[in-house]
Amino acid sequence: MGMVAENIEAIRARMRGAAERVGRDPDSVRLVAVSKRQSLEVIREAMACGQTVFGENYLQEAEEKVAALGQGLAWHCIGHLQSNKARIAAEIFDCIETIDRLKLAKALEIRLAELGKTMPVLVQINVGGEAQKAGVTPEEAGQLCRELQQFPHLRLQGLMTMPPFFEDPEESRGYFRRLRLLGDELAAQGLLGRHGMVQLSMGMSGDFEVAIEEGATLVRVGTALFGER
Ligand SMILES: *Cc1c(COP(=O)(O)O)cnc(C)c1O
């Protein structure tokens, strides 16, 4: 068995274990394989293991990979997106996890309408309030979610976050919990959950099990799956 196959099997087992520890259905959590700066070869290895959802940060790189690897896969945008790149993003992605401002949403809506395509989206939350990170504050989230309701081609499905980095994953737990509570609050206001289960994208290589214990429905794992970039 190749390295990617071994890693993916181990990650799936750890994901299942984390869900079961807190009495969650393991099938309610999906693995987003973060393939940024990884070769087509290793991505194909993951595909051979049945992996279909991939996360990319950089538009040009994503465009090349989507063109090379074709259909049947779901590509999630997990990086910062410029409004003037909305046309390409609307074409190549299957989900945009990083909606953080109205201007970007407007630009995407225009392009999606032209394509006749609807796009599942998540609002990116800066749970740690870090100056260098994208995302709206938890306090601003309600307003952006409300504004997104006016765009018929955007399907607001939930929230995404990247908390501050800690060596000890237990230190991330409070931030993940905060995202889940925010999701509950926005769902209670009727702003989330109109398009099925509320999605929470949180947890990476170092802390995805804690994120699942706190309610993640999408975990974004790169290094633990593909190795160092
Ligand atoms: C790179 C990246 C990941 C994956 O990080 P790993 O630590 O390699 O698992 C997840 N989410 C986002 C937003 C990223 O940019």
Side-chain angles (χ1 to χ4, degrees):
M1 199 166 27
M3 185 198 74
V4 169
E6 273 178 33
N7 290 346
I8 215 165
E9 204 161 280
I11 291 164
R12 284 174 179 160
R14 287 169 61 192
M15 288 174 62
R16 217 175 300 123
E20 284 167 356
R21 272 199 293 286
V22 294
R24 295 186 57 200
D25 175 3
D27 292 335
S28 66
V29 191
R30 280 179 299 156
L31 172 62
V32 179
V34 175
S35 48
K36 63 170 174 237
R37 287 189 257 125
Q38 301 287 354
S39 67
L40 294 178
E41 190 187 339
V42 294
I43 298 174
R44 286 200 181 94
E45 279 184 50
M47 289 163 60
C49 302
Q51 182 64 31
T52 55
V53 186
F54 293 89
E56 286 285 336
N57 292 61
Y58 310 106
L59 200 63
Q60 194 184 332
E61 191 184 331
E63 203 179 357
E64 288 167 13
K65 284 174 177 161
V66 174
L69 297 168
Q71 300 303 305
L73 303 176
W75 295 91
H76 285 212
C77 174
I78 63 168
H80 181 73
L81 203 51
Q82 290 173 282
S83 306
N84 63 1
K85 301 286 168 58
R87 187 182 57 79
I88 300 171
E91 278 176 16
I92 67 170
F93 287 118
D94 301 286
C95 175
I96 294 177
E97 298 197 10
T98 49
I99 301 292
D100 61 357
R101 58 205 191 281
L102 183 61
K103 186 180 174 203
L104 172 61
K106 266 187 188 156
L108 284 168
E109 170 62 27
I110 290 167
R111 298 310 183 182
L112 289 163
E114 287 170 3
L115 294 168
K117 175 178 174 180
T118 55
M119 178 76 77
V121 299
L122 306 180
V123 165
Q124 183 173 3
I125 309 292
N126 187 350
V127 272
E130 294 169 279
Q132 75 279 17
K133 280 205 181 127
V136 296
T137 64
E139 293 72 27
E140 295 163 336
Q143 185 179 342
L144 182 55
C145 289
R146 208 165 297 117
E147 289 167 338
L148 294 185
Q149 314 286 331
Q150 67 182 295
F151 301 127
H153 296 83
L154 301 185
R155 291 276 145 85
L156 176 59
Q157 295 196 326
L159 308 175
M160 176 271 207
T161 199
M162 197 170 172
F165 176 79
F166 300 104
E167 286 293 338
D168 177 4
E170 278 303 323
E171 303 223 31
S172 305
R173 189 179 291 279
Y175 294 95
F176 294 145
R177 188 168 296 168
R178 180 132 194 240
L179 194 76
R180 172 168 46 87
L181 293 174
L182 180 62
D184 290 348
E185 203 178 293
L186 297 172
Q189 293 172 30
L191 296 173
L192 293 181
R194 293 186 179 187
H195 305 287
M197 189 177 71
V198 174
Q199 302 289 331
L200 297 177
S201 175
M202 57 189 193
M204 318 200 311
S205 287
D207 54 17
F208 66 86
E209 289 158 294
V210 173
I212 291 169
E213 288 170 5
E214 294 300 328
T217 65
L218 294 161
V219 291
R220 309 179 308 269
V221 180
T223 316
L225 206 169
F226 294 114
E228 292 295 332
R229 289 181 286 268

